[in-house]
Amino acid sequence: MDSSDPDILTQGQTLDIQNDLQESYQVDVDVGQECQSLEACSVEKSQEVTESESDSQSPNASSVDKSEVEINGDECQTAQVPAVNKCEIDVDGEQDSQSPNALSVDVLEARVSVKDEDDIFVVPAVGMEFESEEHAYKCYSRYAVLEGFSIRKDFVNKSRVNGAIVSRRYTCYRQGYRPSRHNVNVRKPRQEMRTGCLAHMTIARQPNGKFRVSHFETKHNHEFVNPSTAHLLPSQKRLTFAQAVESDIASSSGMDGVPKLGMGFESEDHAYEFYNTYAGRVGFSVRKDYVNRSKIDGAVASRRFTCFREGFRQKDKRDLNVKRPRKETRIGCLAQLVISRQPDGKYRVTHFEGKHNHELVAACRVWMLRSQKRLAVAQIVEGNALESYKVQAKSAYEVSCNSIRDCVDHGYDPSDHRSKLSSKRTRDMREGEAERIQQYFQSRKVKNPSFFYAIQLDAENQIANIFWADAKMIMDYSDFGDVLCFDTTYMLNKDCRLFSPFLGVNHHKQMVIFGAALLYDDTVDSFKWLFQKFLEAMSGKNPKTILTDQDAVVSEAVNSIFPEIHQRMSVWHVYQSALKQLSHKFVGQSFVNDLSSCFFNHEEEEDFIAAWNIMLDVHDLWEIEWLNKIFETREQWAIAYKRHIFCADINSVLLHESFIVNLKKYLKPESDVLSLLKHLGKVVNDWHYKELEANYDMNQNMPRLMGDVILLKHARDAYTPRIFELFQQEYEVCLNYVVNQCIKSETAFEYKVSTYGQPREYAVSYNLADNTVFCSCMKYEFMGVLCSHALKVLDYRNIRLLPSQYILKRWTRDARV
């Protein structure tokens, strides 16, 4: 039932509340200091409605006809629930009033019948009638939830004739006193919960078969519980956290939910739930720390709840033999809450520290915290946070991408009439495919005006090519668009539609997508148009490096649209082509492993050529003409060449992704294009979710250090965990290196570095003027992480902090800042 300014339908005539107050029964409401207003019920007859507005200082009375008044969920709204203090917490130790605002109702002959059993939110009152005893219990139970107490079924009076219930009393769960003899010889006696509370509701059966409230007592002699923990009450255990939160919101108690000194709780469990709920809103997890128990009865005397990142993990000798040690989570955070039991049996906050020495978790990932996983309320927070994240992403995108603002206009036309093809497209669409594609993208545009898509037409005004990118893709490109991989290999045969994604890697070395295209024409003009639309969507920002396949048409279009950027042939594409070319001749994991190792595991030209020859010998491939041709062009794709071009190690990421495998069945000519688009959306969402998980893990867990090394600590604070692992591996390798020779010039030192006992040497120069280091292996220029040879020279020169110019922002924790 709705509780906002309701009207009650009666079968008597309309009564004026203000003028007829003395002629009908009175409703006297005693409001406390925190009650703002009590809205009165209005009475309607025929089509007339008389409403009474509540005053902010005093409650209004409601006048109701003595004839029967029915409250039915289908025909009318129930009376407004008074705004009483739903959760009373004594902060300063003085109990001015331990009871809620009293509600005293004196009804003479009015009969209020509640019929709707699913929506009982009315405040019980003397004279109110219910269809059954169960309906009365539900009404009183819902009322108790809002107030913050539990109820108990007390005595029942049944008829001696037919055994039907004649009268029933429901009491507060703290009614009466427990006999003391029950605690004799009990090691851990139950905590005394009964305080002799007199609050209760009594119902009696009427001749018409309904049950009428004959007595209603509202005064309690104890504090109420926090509404968000009302599910812990004995009679409310079936309530979920979500219902408790809704009750908390409905109650509008005015509490901010922040712990304060002196705040009281009925038990340590209530204190823990309160602090954990607060932690969920703020963004951290709670750990139960020390507990001090009484030597007399074993009850908890004091307890401390801390942030889960409190303290430091002690060193364990067994860690030396662990291959994958646990990540470090504790960093000495001092945030905590301490409670102590008082003489009255309550627990009060004696110490509270709210400051943390670490970054708090975003609301969209709170549910991943250990102490928050079992709280259903976290699901509500997560849903709201995700919506907030979408709004923030949209706002950031609209600020950064000026070119997309024009797309928000209703007159936006995605069809590019100025760049039409001069010929007919090379592939035909299936019947109805063009309409389905347009409807899909139009619906995306309606849901999010920041969505960008463009259509190229052919000479016959038929759709030839389509490009699209959403706000998240464009934001990813703004952060990680320095290296771009354009893929045109997602086509099973010449009759298939050509799906071409723009791919990249984020700061966790995870795959991201910057945009995608469906091409029904693969001429040079089509690719030029596609690259131009890509730049338009990305506000004209060019990548530093673009990786493509062996297609000469694509290479020509890249040189035309991106004349000043580095272009490389992707070794991953060459590797995929090799698998296809040789699949008919070789079957087995051994060959695949050798081929993969030859393509991806050799960064030195000398090593690559040696591995290539060994592969040809072992598998007898010398007569394969295709292999001979690609070996002649090895400088265009092999990672041992053109090391000065930054590639962000994207080839290794592509190697471990199964993107093409997931899309194969959707690229066939007989497959529906909408299935492809929807599946792509799921794949992209999975990638986004993996990044959220990686961000959460990055903020909550610190990678383990191989030793107490200042340089490693500095790098760990800067890099993401995945990149730090690579850096730490390079540092571990450098420990086995030796410096063989040092040649000094005016501004630089030239070092020869080699592995101990091996002849191969690497030339490393260190410039004194700008503290720069350069290695002949060029790993930093190629990947963005200093190599082991350069780290050896830094250690040799007693440099203990990683120079800031060698910490690329795209690999750091703050890559998106």
Side-chain angles (χ1 to χ4, degrees):
M1 285 188 183
D2 192 359
S3 59
S4 59
D5 295 338
D7 297 333
I8 300 179
L9 302 180
T10 69
Q11 300 181 14
Q13 64 181 17
T14 304
L15 301 179
D16 186 288
I17 294 178
Q18 301 296 334
N19 299 331
D20 297 342
L21 182 62
Q22 303 299 328
E23 296 180 6
S24 62
Y25 73 91
Q26 295 181 350
V27 179
D28 298 329
V29 183
D30 180 18
V31 291
Q33 295 178 355
E34 295 183 9
C35 183
Q36 299 296 326
S37 65
L38 177 64
E39 298 189 4
C41 300
S42 61
V43 184
E44 176 185 341
K45 177 189 176 185
S46 302
Q47 301 296 326
E48 300 177 0
V49 179
T50 305
E51 299 182 356
S52 62
E53 298 181 353
S54 61
D55 187 80
S56 61
Q57 301 297 330
S58 63
N60 295 332
S62 60
S63 177
V64 185
D65 190 270
K66 295 180 180 180
S67 60
E68 181 175 353
V69 179
E70 294 187 356
I71 302 179
N72 192 311
D74 298 330
E75 298 180 0
C76 64
Q77 305 291 333
T78 184
Q80 175 85 8
V81 179
V84 296
N85 187 8
K86 307 302 178 191
C87 179
E88 184 173 325
I89 295 183
D90 185 7
V91 176
D92 57 9
E94 298 180 2
Q95 286 183 309
D96 295 335
S97 174
Q98 293 189 353
S99 63
N101 305 316
L103 179 62
S104 177
V105 183
D106 182 18
V107 180
L108 299 179
E109 295 182 0
R111 290 178 296 168
V112 181
S113 179
V114 180
K115 290 184 177 181
D116 193 347
E117 59 178 305
D118 295 327
D119 251 338
I120 304 176
F121 282 104
V122 297
V123 177
V126 175
M128 182 178 292
E129 289 188 351
F130 301 91
E131 290 293 325
S132 66
E133 178 219 355
E134 184 65 23
H135 293 177
Y137 175 78
K138 287 184 178 180
C139 175
Y140 194 44
S141 179
R142 297 270 181 102
Y143 165 75
V145 173
L146 291 175
E147 294 294 321
F149 68 95
S150 183
I151 65 175
R152 177 186 293 119
K153 290 183 178 181
D154 202 30
F155 81 83
V156 59
N157 184 17
K158 296 186 177 181
S159 171
R160 295 182 179 180
V161 179
N162 56 10
I165 295 177
V166 176
S167 62
R168 161 79 80 178
R169 182 172 68 184
Y170 308 108
T171 65
C172 174
Y173 78 119
R174 309 196 73 171
Q175 171 266 346
Y177 298 94
R178 181 177 292 115
S180 58
R181 67 176 183 274
H182 290 172
N183 291 332
V184 178
N185 299 326
V186 178
R187 292 184 177 180
K188 293 184 179 181
R190 289 185 298 172
Q191 186 177 3
E192 183 57 58
M193 300 300 295
R194 300 197 181 189
T195 60
C197 183
L198 298 177
H200 69 278
M201 183 179 79
T202 304
I203 58 174
R205 189 184 185 91
Q206 303 302 304
N208 60 2
K210 297 181 180 181
F211 287 85
R212 181 185 299 177
V213 178
S214 59
H215 194 273
F216 181 52
E217 176 59 55
T218 63
K219 293 183 178 180
H220 297 255
N221 66 349
H222 57 87
E223 290 183 354
F224 292 150
V225 301
N226 191 325
S228 62
T229 58
H231 71 289
L232 297 173
L233 295 171
S235 67
Q236 313 300 340
K237 287 184 177 179
R238 65 179 180 271
L239 293 178
T240 65
F241 252 116
Q243 290 172 319
V245 171
E246 290 176 0
S247 300
D248 195 10
I249 296 174
S251 66
S252 301
S253 61
M255 293 176 52
D256 56 6
V258 179
K260 297 180 178 62
L261 292 179
M263 184 176 287
F265 302 94
E266 291 295 328
S267 67
E268 63 155 327
D269 289 336
H270 289 178
Y272 173 79
E273 294 295 340
F274 178 82
Y275 188 50
N276 196 33
T277 302
Y278 161 76
R281 291 195 300 269
V282 174
F284 67 97
S285 186
V286 174
R287 176 187 293 124
K288 291 183 178 180
D289 200 37
Y290 82 80
V291 58
N292 183 22
R293 297 185 179 273
S294 172
K295 296 181 179 179
I296 300 176
D297 56 4
V300 175
S302 61
R303 161 79 81 177
R304 182 171 68 184
F305 308 111
T306 66
C307 173
F308 79 118
R309 309 197 74 174
E310 172 268 344
F312 297 93
R313 181 176 294 141
Q314 297 181 352
K315 293 184 178 180
D316 193 338
K317 295 180 179 179
R318 294 173 296 181
D319 290 345
L320 298 176
N321 299 322
V322 177
K323 293 183 179 180
R324 294 182 178 180
R326 290 184 301 167
K327 295 181 179 180
E328 187 60 57
T329 58
R330 300 196 180 191
I331 57 175
C333 183
L334 298 177
Q336 58 182 280
L337 178 79
V338 180
I339 58 172
S340 299
R341 188 174 63 173
Q342 305 301 311
D344 59 359
K346 295 180 180 179
Y347 290 86
R348 297 196 179 276
V349 178
T350 57
H351 180 71
F352 172 64
E353 176 57 55
K355 294 182 179 180
H356 298 259
N357 67 346
H358 56 89
E359 184 179 354
L360 298 174
V361 175
C364 60
R365 297 191 296 276
V366 165
W367 64 275
M368 303 173 78
L369 294 170
R370 178 172 297 181
S371 69
Q372 307 295 333
K373 285 183 178 180
R374 62 185 180 86
L375 300 182
V377 66
Q379 297 175 359
I380 300 175
V381 175
E382 180 192 4
N384 294 336
L386 286 176
E387 290 300 322
S388 175
Y389 175 81
K390 292 177 182 178
V391 173
Q392 293 175 1
K394 173 184 173 182
S395 300
Y397 161 73
E398 289 177 346
V399 169
S400 61
C401 302
N402 297 327
S403 64
I404 310 302
R405 292 176 181 173
D406 299 334
C407 300
V408 181
D409 298 336
H410 297 287
Y412 170 68
D413 183 8
S415 299
D416 190 355
H417 298 278
R418 295 174 300 174
S419 301
K420 292 173 57 176
L421 291 174
S422 58
S423 59
K424 189 179 183 302
R425 64 192 180 194
T426 57
R427 292 181 182 86
D428 292 330
M429 283 187 169
R430 295 173 58 186
E431 183 177 356
E433 195 168 68
E435 290 76 10
R436 289 193 294 272
I437 293 176
Q438 286 184 302
Q439 290 176 2
Y440 175 80
F441 287 130
Q442 287 172 359
S443 64
R444 294 284 303 271
K445 186 73 174 178
V446 170
K447 293 179 181 179
N448 186 358
S450 300
F451 183 81
F452 178 90
Y453 74 104
I455 297 175
Q456 186 185 31
L457 304 177
D458 65 3
E460 298 179 356
N461 288 328
Q462 300 296 317
I463 293 179
N465 302 301
I466 303 173
F467 167 76
W468 72 94
D470 61 25
K472 183 64 169 61
M473 295 176 182
I474 299 175
M475 289 182 63
D476 288 342
Y477 181 81
S478 66
D479 294 327
F480 308 111
D482 48 359
V483 177
L484 176 66
C485 178
F486 179 66
D487 201 336
T488 58
T489 61
Y490 295 97
M491 182 175 63
L492 300 181
N493 55 63
K494 63 180 182 179
D495 296 326
C496 290
R497 65 179 72 91
L498 180 60
F499 172 70
S500 299
F502 293 85
L503 303 173
V505 291
N506 63 11
H507 53 326
H508 299 292
K509 285 194 67 177
Q510 297 172 331
M511 186 74 70
V512 291
I513 185 170
F514 303 138
L518 283 175
L519 302 177
Y520 293 86
D521 184 90
D522 53 1
T523 60
V524 174
D525 291 337
S526 293
F527 288 116
K528 288 182 178 180
W529 172 87
L530 178 59
F531 294 148
Q532 289 172 346
K533 289 302 174 182
F534 178 81
L535 284 179
E536 181 181 341
M538 306 304 167
S539 300
K541 178 182 177 181
N542 282 315
K544 295 180 180 178
T545 305
I546 184 169
L547 305 178
T548 63
D549 56 19
Q550 298 170 279
D551 195 332
V553 175
V554 175
S555 179
E556 181 181 348
V558 169
N559 293 329
S560 176
I561 306 301
F562 304 106
E564 298 179 356
I565 68 174
H566 296 292
Q567 181 181 1
R568 280 188 63 118
M569 188 183 300
S570 173
V571 63
W572 181 79
H573 289 116
V574 179
Y575 171 72
Q576 294 295 322
S577 298
L579 291 177
K580 294 178 182 179
Q581 293 288 336
L582 304 175
S583 61
H584 65 283
K585 189 171 183 179
F586 295 95
V587 178
Q589 191 62 37
S590 175
F591 169 71
V592 174
N593 292 338
D594 291 344
L595 186 66
S596 174
S597 176
C598 182
F599 274 72
F600 296 99
N601 295 347
H602 302 286
E603 299 178 355
E604 299 292 332
E605 180 182 7
E606 194 177 323
D607 294 339
F608 168 73
I609 295 176
W612 183 272
N613 293 330
I614 292 174
M615 180 187 67
L616 297 182
D617 282 334
V618 172
H619 299 282
D620 193 18
L621 301 175
W622 289 99
E623 302 301 325
I624 303 297
E625 184 65 24
W626 185 86
L627 286 177
N628 295 330
K629 288 183 179 180
I630 66 168
F631 183 74
E632 293 176 358
T633 61
R634 60 187 180 278
E635 293 186 3
Q636 300 179 21
W637 54 267
I639 61 176
Y641 302 92
K642 295 185 178 180
R643 301 281 294 177
H644 65 285
I645 299 177
F646 179 67
C647 293
D649 203 22
I650 190 173
N651 288 303
S652 64
V653 177
L654 289 167
L655 178 64
H656 294 90
E657 284 289 343
S658 57
F659 191 36
I660 181 63
V661 176
N662 292 332
L663 288 175
K664 270 187 176 181
K665 64 180 180 180
Y666 299 99
L667 296 173
K668 297 178 180 179
E670 63 272 13
S671 62
D672 185 19
V673 67
L674 287 184
S675 299
L676 169 66
L677 297 177
K678 292 179 180 179
H679 180 75
L680 177 64
K682 293 179 181 179
V683 172
V684 173
N685 287 337
D686 289 342
W687 289 352
H688 293 169
Y689 183 75
K690 288 180 180 179
E691 182 178 342
L692 289 177
E693 287 185 318
N695 287 335
Y696 169 81
D697 183 71
M698 175 180 65
N699 292 329
Q700 303 308 312
N701 304 308
M702 298 293 288
R704 293 294 298 270
L705 298 174
M706 59 174 292
D708 189 11
V709 181
I710 297 177
L711 182 68
L712 293 180
K713 290 181 179 180
H714 181 220
R716 183 177 66 172
D717 293 338
Y719 287 132
T720 61
R722 181 70 183 91
I723 301 303
F724 174 74
E725 290 178 3
L726 299 177
F727 179 85
Q728 187 165 235
Q729 291 173 6
E730 293 292 329
Y731 182 83
E732 185 177 7
V733 172
C734 89
L735 298 179
N736 292 323
Y737 282 154
V738 294
V739 177
N740 299 322
Q741 184 180 3
C742 176
I743 302 176
K744 183 179 179 181
S745 63
E746 294 182 359
T747 59
F749 289 87
E750 297 289 339
Y751 298 92
K752 298 295 183 180
V753 179
S754 65
T755 303
Y756 179 79
Q758 294 186 8
R760 176 180 295 178
E761 292 183 334
Y762 296 88
V764 182
S765 63
Y766 182 82
N767 194 313
L768 295 175
D770 52 6
N771 294 323
T772 57
V773 61
F774 174 80
C775 179
S776 59
C777 76
M778 303 184 72
K779 187 180 186 71
Y780 175 78
E781 287 75 13
F782 187 76
M783 180 185 170
V785 176
L786 278 181
C787 63
S788 54
H789 320 113
L791 292 177
K792 182 62 182 181
V793 170
L794 294 180
D795 181 71
Y796 185 80
R797 296 194 57 83
N798 293 325
I799 297 176
R800 302 306 176 194
L801 295 179
L802 189 62
S804 59
Q805 65 264 35
Y806 295 109
I807 303 178
L808 291 186
K809 183 180 178 181
R810 65 123 46 237
W811 294 134
T812 66
R813 296 168 174 262
D814 300 327
R816 289 194 179 274
V817 177

